[in-house]
Amino acid sequence: MSKRLACLIVLCFALLYSGCAGTPEDPNTLTVWHWMTDRHDVLVQLAEQYKAQTGITVDFQLFAPSDIYSQKVIAAAQAHILPDIFGILDKKSVFADFIKGGFVANLKPYFEENGREWENSFFEKALEGNRFSANNAYGVAEGIYAAPLDVMNIQMVYNKKLLEKAGVVSPPKTFDEFLRAAEALNKIGITPFVSGWAELWLLDCFASNYAFNIMGIDKIMATYRGEVLYTDPDWVKVFEIFSVMAQKNILASGIVTKSNKFAEQDFALERAAFAFNGSWCVNVYHGMNPDLDYGVMLPPKISDGHPLMIWGGAGGSLVVNETSPRKEKAVAFLKWLTAQDQQAVLSEATRNLPSNRNALADLPKELADFGQAMDVVTHQTVWPIEEDAVVKEKFTKGLQSIIIGERTPQEVAREVQEIKKRQMERAIRRAQ
Amino acid sequence: MGMNPYKIRRLTKLVLIQALLITVTITCLFPLFWMVRSSLMTQDAVFVDQSIIPSRLHFGNYVRAWTQGQFGRYFLNSVVYTTIVVFGIVVISSWAAYAFSRLKFPGRKLFFVLFILAVMIPLPGSFVPLTVLMTKIGFINSPYSWVRQLGYILCMINVGLPLSVFLLKTFFDQMPSDLEDAARIDGCNKMGIWRHVALPLARPAIAVIVIFNALNVWNEYLLARLLLNDVAGKPTIMPLQRGVMVFADTHNVEYPLLMASLTIAAVPIILVYLFVQKHILAVGEPSKIDLLKEGRLSR
Amino acid sequence: MPKINLKHRSWYEVKDRLSSFLFILPAATIFAVFYVYPFFETFNLSLRDWNGIGPAKLFVGFRNFSDILSLMASQQPADLTWWQSVIYWLKSLAAGTLSLNYDEVWWRSVWHASYITLVALTFQNALAFMLAMACDREIRGKHFYRAVFFIPPVLSEVVVGLIWKWILEGGVQNGQHYGLLNHCLDAIGLHHLVNDWLSDPKTALTCIAVVHSWKGFGWGFLMFLAGLQTIDRELYEAAKVDGAGAWRTFWNITVPMMLPVIIVVVILTILGSMQAFVLILSMTDGGPGYHTEVPVTRILAAMMRTKEFGYACAMGVTFGAILIALSAALKKMENRIKRI
């Protein structure tokens, strides 16, 4: 009996608390939620430094892995319990929804203070993805809504030793050269290419690079608007790249169920000669195999019609909570965190490309090579519109089924177009 | 002089049974063995060394994992969560199951059906409503860490309740009622019967519930991430799995360290099982019930 | 005198019922707070078009559900009220143009979960029962086996996924298969069986079902063993005296005595297998293509990947309804079996 009573009392107590509970209102403590495990330690270290300088405590809270972090942020937004500073890991339309929901502060005025001092310290491409231009398709007020901690891009890497073994003298520049190199590798029993294509975004990224190369951005955007069909010969050409790579036995076995972590392990252990991966891999490969001798290259282009564009831009970006009473302090901290000295510390500790252009000091050679391609990067966050996510899923899953040989490129093109049509009809219905 | 055919048949049967048992044992032990083996190697050796038992054992990985992952505090938290939640579930679910099985009150069938239906709704669908609810009650953002912990504990109790009630009710339904009658004649009230007759009798079922829920809480990380927030300057209130996940994400390239941390996380629950399993399979030993039957134990 | 007695009794009864009610009060309170609200909210959201973040939650009625499964007349105008569409349907039914509109991927995912459940029900539970029978007799090392068989359930899904991925991996380096299974197959000369186990659409789902069963059989083992030990040994002795063979003893004594335990294990297996998803996320993430998607991964994908929150909730409600129907059917079956 007494136990039951105690239980009830505890419950009542907890319910009573609901009246007086709120956020811990310490004006000198900033809370940051993030997902960047590789950067957590150095961020905490920098926060200590900041406290010594300003007396403001910055509490970095890590929620990993990133998909769980996303769930947390979305749920927290609904409950209005977002911290002072956080990051949004989703595509641009979701970012826009956060802004429209009033959760994210517009940092534009701060970027433009003192003759755009803060803005000019960044790589242009680093800010691009966080910028909403005037009259954007998302219906968000013009502005810059996040500060990037670092930049990244996604390219191909090649194992120098394995290529040499196969008699390939220089990394392939065109897709035909790539196919020849792969053939030579296959001949001596080396898997030519690996990537984490269980992760749909990485598969999408590779396809997108070639879509740019084959048809250019205008036609891609026209497809997204529904004016060009996925059954267009140019799109079929994009799909065919995957069937060719599968048929010629270029792809590592099990590539469609390989997460990028496993793919990185394969490349680091010299199980494959080429990999498609982002600039963060420099740190990962270094951890797995410090002696790995590899170079960085752009994906070999397949057409001369349009330039091949790779994905890149801000790596991790942080936003300031619009409703936080410590908004000004949060902005001040982000300014400090992205200043040259702190950026140098971050970059050195984590082997990521710094977002501050002045902090490009002593980067490892491979990372510097990645950095050089920052001029040809693009990203869905800078395109005027984005593709419907349901169509994207069908598109990338379709690529997987081409790779495992259960669908032809033409079939997938048809199926994707069907979904596209359905989603367009739905969008119209929604707008009514 | 050979063995007689009966003995041969018996022997082949025994050999076949042992063969099956040993095969399954190997598949069960292999992952654990692999985990421990990798955790005792150096980073250079782990991808290269093909030998079954590495020539040199490096126990330093465990020390490094424990200190670098700051597992001490996480460990303590998980022990606290697991103990309280399991205790809560055992008490609350056995009350409820006993009532559903033995006592009469209006709406008893309806309540039970509702309870069981709750198991059917997949958890991920309710993430957002749950967070909103917990915030409204004041669990998530309370400045007091014990309130935030309480929210998580109640939530975990809630997750474990329906299945535990179901299991226990099934068990109580088969329990002979003459013992209760005897106890009632002895002057026991309902609470007394629950405490002195139903609970001891249900020991195997309760042991199953203990393991089932201990495992659930110990390996849980989704709700913890959703519902728990740390506050600057105070020790973390996150459970061990969170520590392991973060550690695994940070050191995903350092296999030995990763495996050491996973082993650390797995060992306590294996110990709990070893401790509890004998209660599940304790039939045959003289239990309190037998003593009660013989009248050697008053109530 | 009788009158007073009656009065006394009714008061006693009220008190009795009230105190009985106290037993379920804690459970009912927790249940009411943590289940009822989220459930109604989920149902509410399933009637809306919502991306999970924005303030706009457009009410769309049962449209999310009709996207999952509905009868669709070809070229049905979108703006019909419900009674107009009923008339329209009847007309098209007569004309033979009524067709089924459904989310193919979703229903395939339901089939995948059912497949995993079927494998778990047969393979996993048969294995568990056999092992429990073996450990129930006087056999060398039974205490050791008891401890060992519970290791797979204890390990977290993440660990299990990691290890089995490594076992089932395809790929060759320096002429050696580096996946353990392929390595073994190669070593014993079964080269033609070497496969990309998780990426081959023919084997991926079965691999997952087998790993799931491997992870789960310890539970069944434990409960079967506990059940077997409650069977009175004298019954077996009596059967022996009667001259019953092992097979007959099994069907006439073991199975009937074990029926309640078997039913509980079957229900637990179904619930656990239909909703399994962590293992799948860590092994294949639903791929290749849609070959290992299950309802819960589809719900998560709709919530996190494609941001169709309302649709995700509708899938959750539908799946819950399927499970409820399944358990109701089971209950019916249970009663029938018991009568036999």
Side-chain angles (χ1 to χ4, degrees), chain A residues 303-341:
Chain A
S303 144
D304 289 322
H306 298 271
L308 183 138
M309 299 288 269
I310 55 167
W311 281 15
S317 286
L318 294 176
V319 304
V320 171
N321 186 346
E322 170 74 9
T323 58
S324 162
R326 294 166 293 270
K327 191 172 137 189
E328 296 295 325
K329 283 176 182 147
V331 175
F333 174 70
L334 283 188
K335 267 193 177 178
W336 180 83
L337 192 62
T338 50
Q340 189 178 338
D341 292 345

Side-chain angles (χ1 to χ4, degrees), chain B residues 14-58:
Chain B
L14 248 154
V15 168
L16 279 177
I17 289 174
Q18 282 288 4
L20 173 74
L21 286 170
I22 289 170
T23 319
V24 179
T25 302
I26 289 171
T27 70
C28 290
L29 279 180
F30 176 73
L32 197 70
F33 166 74
W34 185 65
M35 234 163 79
V36 176
R37 172 183 169 271
S38 311
S39 73
L40 293 172
M41 298 168 99
T42 58
Q43 175 73 8
D44 314 328
V46 72
F47 293 121
V48 192
D49 195 347
Q50 300 281 341
S51 57
I52 292 174
I53 294 171
S55 48
R56 272 205 177 152
L57 303 179
H58 294 261

Side-chain angles (χ1 to χ4, degrees), chain A residues 349-362:
Chain A
T350 63
R351 293 188 188 82
N352 275 304
L353 285 167
S355 59
N356 187 314
R357 59 167 84 226
N358 307 318
L360 274 176
D362 301 318

Side-chain angles (χ1 to χ4, degrees), chain B residues 191-256:
Chain B
M191 198 48 109
I193 296 175
W194 168 80
R195 172 71 189 81
H196 296 290
V197 180
L199 267 195
L201 210 62
R203 198 162 56 145
I206 285 175
V208 170
I209 289 174
V210 167
I211 300 186
F212 188 78
N213 289 299
L215 203 59
N216 232 357
V217 185
W218 190 264
N219 284 340
E220 206 284 328
Y221 60 96
L222 283 172
L223 282 177
R225 223 68 60 82
L226 211 59
L227 302 178
L228 294 175
N229 293 313
D230 280 327
V231 169
K234 286 192 186 151
T236 179
I237 56 170
M238 293 284 186
L240 182 64
Q241 285 302 323
R242 186 263 185 184
V244 171
M245 296 285 275
V246 167
F247 191 78
D249 221 43
T250 319
H251 298 270
N252 69 58
V253 295
E254 294 174 71
Y255 252 60

